Amino acid sequence: MASASNATTDTRSDWETRQAAARGEKTPISFMGWVRLWTRTIALVLLMMLFVVPLYVTRIFTYGSPWPKWYLAIAAWIVGARVERHGTPLRRDVFFVANHVSWVDILALAGASGTAFVAKAELAKAPLVGWLCSLNRTVFVQREDRLRVADQINALREALMDNWSVTVFPEGTTTDGHSLLPFKSSMLSVLEPPPPGVLVQPVVLDYGAMAEWIGWIGEEGGLNNYKRVMARKGTFPVKLFFLEPFSPIEYRGRKAIAAEARVRIEECLRETMGHELRPFDHDVAPIRYSKAKLPPVEPPADHASTDDLPTN
């Protein structure tokens, strides 16, 4: 592996614990684990209390406040992430396309670049994490709500105009860090046609040996994953590779843009991990629409497709 952790999880018991969590089983936490969990959680809350007033005061006078970026960078450090940035993130007029491993991705990426995000609506309800997302003007999408997809695309377009940078996780769910799922391209509809001057910059998140433990996969609930990450001993590296940006104008539509970004991310992942990517061990549930939400007539031709909105 290209990365290492201050506290490895290579023992059989840790592997079995991680596998049990992926099956949806509750992870046991030691006394010291609970101490670490609550210490880090309280530190995040105290940091929030320190930052929340200047955050909202600056928003009265300007949209582009630096406080969310500073807060989320420190929050990532409290959680245990030691972020290493490779390459230069564009500051504005950029659409970051990244692989997705954990909710920690949001802290690390926003802290390093100040980007806003597209995330599943369920994340907005997650304890503390949902509020952290809202600080950075996250665009929450509801995959099952077919009637609101056009509104969600418009919200994303506004975020791209207002936030200088927006990040999407086109795999649609989190993985184990050693796999790369097919990219779903519906949220790239905002690039059809591309807004003037906007570039696409692929981003790779590499947790190294800790990707297996950090990853939020399978049937594990968000709260259990949060507790596992916050209770673990030591720190873990997160390498962020900001790859060469490209113009979406040079590609024919969102599917071609997504395919190009995926090729670049896969190549970087193989290089940094030192081995080929492997098949993802967990099923990704297909989308199912509620009949009550389906429109009574065919949608107009320019109505956005929902066949590949994010799930996680």
Side-chain angles (χ1 to χ4, degrees), residues 82-104:
R82 297 298 178 261
V83 178
E84 303 174 24
R85 196 176 78 179
H86 301 263
T88 303
L90 299 180
R91 290 190 59 196
R92 62 177 303 160
D93 298 329
V94 59
F95 213 73
F96 294 127
V97 178
N99 63 308
H100 199 12
V101 180
S102 167
W103 53 269
V104 181

Side-chain angles (χ1 to χ4, degrees), residues 191-217:
L191 300 177
E192 291 183 326
V198 169
L199 297 178
V200 174
Q201 185 169 24
V203 181
V204 172
L205 293 105
D206 173 30
Y207 288 79
M210 285 308 303
E212 295 276 16
W213 182 260
I214 299 298
W216 178 9
I217 59 177

Side-chain angles (χ1 to χ4, degrees), residues 45-260:
V45 173
L46 293 176
L47 184 69
M48 174 188 69
M49 295 172 64
L50 179 65
F51 272 67
V52 69
V53 173
L55 167 66
Y56 285 106
V57 168
T58 54
R59 280 187 176 173
I60 297 175
F61 303 101
T62 179
Y63 191 95
S65 170
W67 289 96
K69 177 181 177 180
W70 296 340
Y71 177 88
L72 293 169
I74 299 173
W77 189 90
I78 290 173
V79 167
R82 297 298 178 261
V83 178
E84 303 174 24
R85 196 176 78 179
H86 301 263
T88 303
L90 299 180
R91 290 190 59 196
R92 62 177 303 160
D93 298 329
V94 59
F95 213 73
F96 294 127
V97 178
N99 63 308
H100 199 12
V101 180
S102 167
W103 53 269
V104 181
D105 299 352
I106 293 175
L107 308 183
L109 267 173
S113 66
T115 182
F117 292 88
V118 179
K120 67 173 185 176
E122 290 83 352
L123 195 61
K125 303 175 184 178
L128 191 60
V129 176
W131 186 83
L132 294 177
C133 293
S134 66
L135 273 182
N136 214 42
R137 301 186 185 276
T138 296
V139 179
F140 294 106
V141 296
Q142 181 65 53
R143 178 175 177 173
E144 293 82 5
D145 195 345
R146 184 176 180 180
L147 294 177
R148 293 192 58 208
V149 173
D151 291 338
Q152 292 166 4
I153 296 296
N154 289 335
L156 179 56
R157 188 179 296 275
E158 292 174 6
L160 184 60
M161 294 172 60
D162 292 335
N163 278 282
W164 289 13
S165 64
V166 173
T167 296
V168 294
F169 299 113
E171 290 173 282
T173 188
T174 47
T175 70
D176 56 12
H178 297 274
S179 310
L180 192 66
L181 297 174
F183 279 11
K184 302 172 175 66
S185 62
S186 66
M187 282 295 98
L188 297 181
S189 296
V190 69
L191 300 177
E192 291 183 326
V198 169
L199 297 178
V200 174
Q201 185 169 24
V203 181
V204 172
L205 293 105
D206 173 30
Y207 288 79
M210 285 308 303
E212 295 276 16
W213 182 260
I214 299 298
W216 178 9
I217 59 177
E219 301 299 318
E220 183 178 18
L223 181 58
N224 191 79
N225 183 269
Y226 172 84
K227 290 161 66 176
R228 278 201 308 110
V229 173
M230 298 291 274
R232 70 173 303 278
K233 183 180 180 180
T235 62
F236 53 91
V238 184
K239 290 187 176 182
L240 302 180
F241 295 88
F242 291 89
L243 307 182
E244 189 69 22
F246 63 89
S247 173
I249 297 177
E250 300 174 4
Y251 298 85
R252 289 190 169 185
R254 58 186 173 90
K255 294 185 182 295
I257 295 169
E260 176 63 21

